Amino acid sequence: MSRSIEVAVFPVAGLGTRFLPATKAVPKEMLPVVDRPVIQYAVDEAKEAGITEFVFVTSRGKSEIEDHFDHHTELYETLERRQKAAALEDARSADLPVGSYALVRQPEPLGLGHAVWCARHVVGDRPFAVLLPDELFRGRPGVLKQMVDAHSRLGGAIVAVREVPKDLTDRYGIIDVETDDGTAASVKGLVEKPAPAEAPSNLSIVGRYILPPDVFAYLDRHETGAGGEIQLTDAMARLLGDHPFHGLRFTGDRFDCGDKAQFVAANLVLALDRPDLADKVRDRIKAHI
Ligand code: UTP
């Protein structure tokens, strides 16, 4: 029986250059999909998976994120006085329990591996989850819950994977598969952004991970990899051999909300799923498609 996963790390210290000018003053994780910032979907997914401690790796200009998850006494009192019960419930839906979240700073965007390393003292000697909050996942159960369930069976490291077109492997971290039962693939190698001819498979790692704390020992070395960044993939590759390591094909959808086209698509797809919005959205855009 593997140790349960209590703590999740949310790296939010990137620059969001693909989404300028929106991200000049607003963190990309705070851009709303329908009516909540994209990071709230990841936090809700983590809560559903049983996570009780939340660590945000932030940087300059990201203070809106901590405000979003904090209790907003003044707003709640005003809504209560005005008897706006539904609005009050919506506002409070983002609150995290007092003392359940921590913020650590990444002073420079040196790479995802470095961002995760910045959370090492808060995580301590426990297995932990990493959720990239600009990737919005929809699944039933949620994708992190699917991974936590797999972790309780398989232990070790679990990364969410999905198939990508063979000619696009140079955009992703790709796994080299040892055995595959169609859902969980046992991993024997990891390559960051391989050229299509060199890619060992077409299974790409996406933004949900469960990792043993040993990964911090490798991140401590601050070795740079693809793009001159400290890559999480490279540190994860060092775990192979010492820990079971699986890629999990999840059921559900994924939208990379750091990409403009996918962000717009996420807004439409999620709005069309909402009984209070679907007809109005469909009627309004009919003339344009
Ligand atoms: P991305 O590469 O998607 O984010 O990193 P980015 O760098 O902000 O975006 P672009 O490419 O410039 O548009 C994946 C995740 O890792 C975090 C990002 O905030 C994002 O959630 N990250 C990345 C960090 O926290 N620190 C880093 O040094 C790099």
Side-chain angles (χ1 to χ4, degrees):
M1 183 71 184
S2 303
R3 189 165 168 189
S4 63
I5 310 296
E6 309 155 338
V7 57
V9 176
F10 300 81
V12 290
L15 296 176
T17 54
R18 285 173 297 154
F19 223 124
L20 286 165
T23 48
K24 190 175 170 196
V26 176
K28 72 173 166 181
E29 300 80 10
M30 288 303 292
L31 298 176
V33 171
V34 185
D35 56 4
R36 60 205 64 204
V38 64
I39 191 170
Q40 194 177 333
Y41 293 90
V43 167
D44 288 346
E45 183 189 330
K47 284 185 189 162
E48 185 200 341
I51 299 294
T52 51
E53 295 172 50
F54 306 81
V55 189
F56 300 105
V57 182
T58 71
S59 59
R60 210 166 295 277
K62 301 269 181 169
S63 55
E64 286 174 17
I65 295 175
E66 59 194 271
D67 288 342
H68 182 72
F69 292 106
D70 195 8
H71 191 93
H72 192 333
T73 309
E74 202 182 310
L75 173 66
Y76 300 165
E77 282 175 1
T78 307
L79 292 172
E80 229 162 70
R81 242 189 347 266
R82 294 184 185 170
Q83 297 184 332
K84 303 255 184 202
L88 181 60
E89 198 184 320
D90 284 341
R92 297 187 95 138
S93 71
D95 289 12
L96 282 171
V98 177
S100 69
Y101 66 101
L103 297 130
V104 295
R105 293 279 276 224
Q106 185 191 28
E108 274 180 88
L110 298 179
L112 177 59
H114 183 262
V116 171
W117 176 80
C118 291
R120 68 201 179 284
H121 292 306
V122 186
V123 172
D125 190 26
R126 300 181 282 177
F128 64 104
V130 177
L131 296 93
L132 305 191
D134 52 341
E135 293 184 34
L136 193 163
F137 286 78
R138 281 197 322 168
R140 283 215 183 91
V143 172
L144 191 66
K145 170 83 173 99
Q146 295 173 36
M147 294 173 69
V148 164
D149 290 346
H151 181 262
S152 66
R153 282 185 286 117
L154 303 166
I158 312 264
V159 292
V161 295
R162 62 166 192 152
E163 286 174 13
V164 291
K166 193 79 188 163
D167 57 330
L168 297 182
T169 55
D170 56 357
R171 297 190 192 169
Y172 304 99
I174 299 288
I175 62 170
D176 192 358
V177 175
E178 184 156 44
T179 57
D180 193 348
D181 71 7
T183 306
S186 160
V187 177
K188 65 173 178 196
L190 300 169
V191 198
E192 187 61 41
K193 302 187 172 64
E198 275 133 45
S201 77
N202 67 341
L203 285 176
S204 86
I205 302 172
V206 290
R208 300 290 183 268
Y209 314 75
I210 292 176
L211 297 172
D214 301 18
V215 75
F216 291 123
Y218 300 114
L219 290 170
D220 271 341
R221 299 179 185 174
H222 286 207
E223 286 166 1
T224 51
E229 296 197 340
I230 300 170
Q231 296 285 356
L232 183 60
T233 308
D234 296 339
M236 291 193 303
R238 308 285 182 107
L239 298 169
L240 292 163
D242 292 340
H243 295 270
F245 200 125
H246 292 87
L248 186 77
R249 291 185 184 82
F250 56 92
T251 52
D253 304 316
R254 168 189 176 267
F255 299 93
D256 175 4
C257 289
D259 171 85
K260 291 176 188 176
Q262 292 198 47
F263 172 80
V264 173
N267 266 287
L268 283 173
V269 172
L270 269 68
L272 291 173
D273 257 7
R274 284 263 300 254
D276 58 329
L277 294 173
D279 288 345
K280 291 179 205 158
V281 172
R282 209 175 278 117
D283 287 351
R284 184 60 191 83
I285 62 175
K286 226 182 253 164
H288 301 275
I289 47 180

